[in-house]
Amino acid sequence: MIPEELERQVWQAKKEGAAPFLVCATSGTTVLGAFDPLDEIADVCERHGLWLHVDASWGGSALMSRKHRKLLHGIHRADSVAWNPHKMLMAGIQCCAFLVKDKSDLLKKCYSAKASYLFQQDKFYDVSYDTGDKSIQCSRRPDAFKFWMTWKALGTLGLEEKVNRALALSRYLVEEIKKREGFKLLMEPEYANVCFWYIPPSLREMEEGPEFWAKLHLVAPAIKERMVKKGSLMLGYQPHRGKVNFFRQVLISPQVRREDMDFLLDEIDLLGRDM
């Protein structure tokens, strides 16, 4: 998100008689792993009295790392945040959190069904602990307990190491891609999403025009088919905003090693070198 463009759009909406009230920023987009500049966006929201929500479902776990938490600089200024510890931190699926600064019992006002057969108000303990009445999923499993158990088992340093290791392996893969003929990064990654093309020998001398991109669009699906039939890898691919099909390697598991990254690139080259 471009903060200056956000400001312009807010003024435009007001000029047209609309009443903007909410801005949704993202920390760790699904495909590219991109992070919005939260501090600058928060400035715009404060000027116009807008609620700032941050979707940190994927990238929020970077806060556990002293080295990488700068990616979310300014998140403390958000009014609400969504976060999924079951992603980068590998808590048991599913494990999601929705955090709000509001202290007026906002979630209960929005979601409470006031079911007298479930949440009686005259109990002997503090009924604010009946969190089920603050959710549209009343009887869901307690996600907070899953994360508490993960944190208790691994400790803060253990969770930090998960994040640091994943991002270190991502960086290793990026540097290997840069060294190898036939591999091209879509962009320099900010997080653990490494997006790249494999350009087979038959296309390496071709000018990057419409015909080149049309042919390259067919490469990733063909290699993926060969991977599946061979049983060697399961690697995702997709197009994105005008970019033709590319591979997307997202690193999470602490069991992955540098040797696995080498195998990934070797196997893609092996399966695609005759194209």
Side-chain angles (χ1 to χ4, degrees), residues 31-32 169-171 173-174 177 185-187 189 191-196 235 246-251:
V31 176
L32 301 180
L169 276 170
S170 301
R171 199 66 244 166
L173 179 58
V174 167
I177 287 171
L185 283 173
L186 192 75
M187 59 176 284
Y191 202 41
N193 308 44
V194 182
C195 302
F196 62 95
L235 179 63
F246 55 86
F247 289 112
R248 178 169 65 100
Q249 173 64 56
V250 181
L251 285 141

Side-chain angles (χ1 to χ4, degrees), residues 1-11 23 25 35-45 47-48 50:
M1 188 184 297
I2 303 170
E4 295 78 13
E5 180 64 13
L6 171 63
E7 181 96 53
R8 193 186 72 77
Q9 293 284 358
V10 170
W11 281 116
V23 172
F35 286 74
D36 282 331
L38 300 181
D39 240 354
E40 293 89 336
I41 293 171
D43 289 340
V44 176
C45 291
R47 281 195 293 273
H48 295 276
L50 307 176

Side-chain angles (χ1 to χ4, degrees), residues 161-205:
E161 176 58 26
K162 277 182 176 288
V163 177
N164 290 346
R165 180 176 172 77
L167 290 174
L169 276 170
S170 301
R171 199 66 244 166
Y172 174 79
L173 179 58
V174 167
E175 296 307 316
E176 286 301 305
I177 287 171
K178 290 178 179 179
K179 294 177 187 175
R180 297 190 181 217
E181 185 181 10
F183 289 87
K184 182 178 180 180
L185 283 173
L186 192 75
M187 59 176 284
E188 284 286 339
E190 289 185 87
Y191 202 41
N193 308 44
V194 182
C195 302
F196 62 95
W197 288 289
Y198 174 72
I199 304 170
S202 65
L203 299 181
R204 289 176 193 171
E205 303 301 322

Side-chain angles (χ1 to χ4, degrees), residues 81-133:
V81 174
W83 174 42
N84 292 351
H86 67 239
K87 294 180 177 174
M88 175 64 79
L89 299 182
M90 300 184 73
I93 290 180
Q94 86 178 18
C95 184
C96 308
F98 179 61
L99 311 171
V100 292
K101 274 185 180 176
D102 182 272
K103 295 181 180 179
S104 66
D105 228 355
L106 180 63
L107 296 182
K108 195 164 187 176
K109 290 176 183 176
C110 291
Y111 299 127
S112 175
K114 295 184 170 61
S116 59
Y117 60 91
L118 283 177
F119 304 108
Q120 298 82 8
Q121 300 303 297
D122 55 354
K123 292 177 181 174
F124 66 92
Y125 58 81
D126 183 354
V127 294
S128 67
Y129 288 112
D130 289 333
T131 57
D133 210 20

